Amino acid sequence: VAVSFLAGCSPREPQSPELTTGYRSVGTWSGTGNKTIGDVMLASGRFRVTWRTSGEVSPGTGHFKLTARSSVSGRPLQEVADHRGEGSGTIEFAEEDRRIYDFTVESENIEWSFTVDDVIAVPR
C-alpha cells in the first residue's frame, strides 16, 4: 500500500508550453542596381526572406537576383530570388547551423527591397 501511495506522489515534470512559429526582424534593405549587404547575423538557423520589385524602367527589362552567401567564405549558399519584372515573394530557409550571411543583389532597370526575419519559436 505504501508503494502505491508513494508512486502517486512523485513530482510531475513541468509541461512545456505549446510553441508556434514567430518572426524576429533582422533588417530591411532597398535600392536599385547591384549591392552587397554584409554581416547579417541569423541566430536561429531558420530564416525568412520577403522580397519585392517595382518601378520597372521599361516593361520586360527589369531583372532582380538575390543570393545568400557565407559571410566567411563568400560562397553562395541559397538563391533567394531570380525574377524578371515587377513582383514579390517570400521564402523560408532552414540551415543546420547558425551563421553570418552576406546577401548580394544583382539588379537592372528595377527598384528592389527585401526583408530578412529570423524564424523563432514562441509560446502560444
Side-chain angles (χ1 to χ4, degrees), residues 51-114:
W51 60 270
R52 176 175 306 282
T53 56
S54 61
E56 188 173 26
V57 174
S58 179
T61 64
H63 181 242
F64 170 74
K65 184 174 181 179
L66 179 61
T67 305
R69 298 180 175 274
S70 166
S71 186
V72 175
S73 69
R75 73 181 168 89
L77 298 171
Q78 302 277 349
E79 184 177 279
V80 178
D82 190 353
H83 186 77
R84 294 209 167 271
E86 297 184 4
S88 62
T90 299
I91 188 165
E92 280 195 22
F93 296 98
E95 291 289 321
E96 65 281 355
D97 296 319
R98 292 182 255 164
R99 67 173 74 225
I100 301 173
Y101 289 85
D102 290 344
F103 288 89
T104 58
V105 176
E106 299 171 58
S107 172
E108 296 177 83
N109 301 319
I110 204 153
E111 297 171 14
W112 53 264
S113 65
F114 70 96

Side-chain angles (χ1 to χ4, degrees), residues 2-3 8 13 20-21 23 27-28 30 38 43 49 64 68 75 78-79 84 96-97 111-112 116 119 122:
V3 173
E13 290 192 31
T20 188
T21 300
Y23 301 94
T28 299
S30 61
V49 179
F64 170 74
R75 73 181 168 89
Q78 302 277 349
E79 184 177 279
R84 294 209 167 271
E96 65 281 355
D97 296 319
E111 297 171 14
W112 53 264
V116 178
V119 179
V122 295

